[in-house]
Amino acid sequence: MPALLAFPLLCGMAPGDMSVAAFLVRADSISRLGPLALATPQGNQLKGEVIAAGKRYKARIDADRRAGRRTTSCPPETGTLSPEQWLSHLRSYPVPVRKSVSINTAFDALMKKRYPCPA
């Protein structure tokens, strides 16, 4: 029921703006499908959220590097992120703050944690 109530609020949002709480509700609702979950429309939407957050993050990092600014993290040019790693990161947020953290913010935080810049 909470997922149905959140649906109207999520429709007008740009990819990456979904909250961690909403993402997890949707992910949990299709998780019973296992690997087939990504083939569902809802799975594709969730995948799109992560891809959009990754593209936004990469564009910002690239712009910072071109401008000679220090970046918030130092990722390799290519990398992988499994669904399990991503969901584990999202679940690490305390339940009370999940509604106020966007997928964009969560992606940035994960990259900062996984790829810190040398001191």
Side-chain angles (χ1 to χ4, degrees):
M1 185 70 158
L4 294 175
L5 296 175
F7 183 73
L9 299 174
L10 300 174
C11 291
M13 298 169 67
D17 288 342
M18 182 185 290
S19 74
V20 168
F23 189 100
L24 288 173
V25 165
R26 288 177 168 212
D28 289 344
S29 75
I30 60 172
S31 66
R32 63 181 165 64
L33 300 173
L36 296 176
L38 290 176
T40 66
Q42 197 166 25
N44 281 326
Q45 183 186 16
L46 294 176
K47 182 178 173 183
E49 289 285 324
V50 179
I51 289 170
K55 286 180 178 179
R56 186 204 54 81
Y57 167 81
K58 182 164 177 19
R60 185 177 50 81
I61 291 291
D62 290 347
D64 285 348
R65 286 178 176 158
R66 281 192 303 276
R69 293 186 296 261
R70 182 175 166 87
T71 59
T72 57
S73 58
C74 296
E77 280 301 313
T78 61
T80 60
L81 178 63
S82 74
E84 293 78 19
Q85 291 168 320
W86 175 244
L87 291 172
S88 174
H89 172 69
L90 296 183
R91 288 187 178 106
S92 73
Y93 285 93
V95 173
V97 300
R98 290 178 183 176
K99 287 182 180 179
S100 63
V101 178
S102 72
I103 294 302
N104 284 327
T105 301
F107 193 92
D108 287 357
L110 178 60
M111 293 299 104
K112 190 173 182 178
K113 184 168 77 173
R114 284 183 72 176
Y115 305 110
C117 294

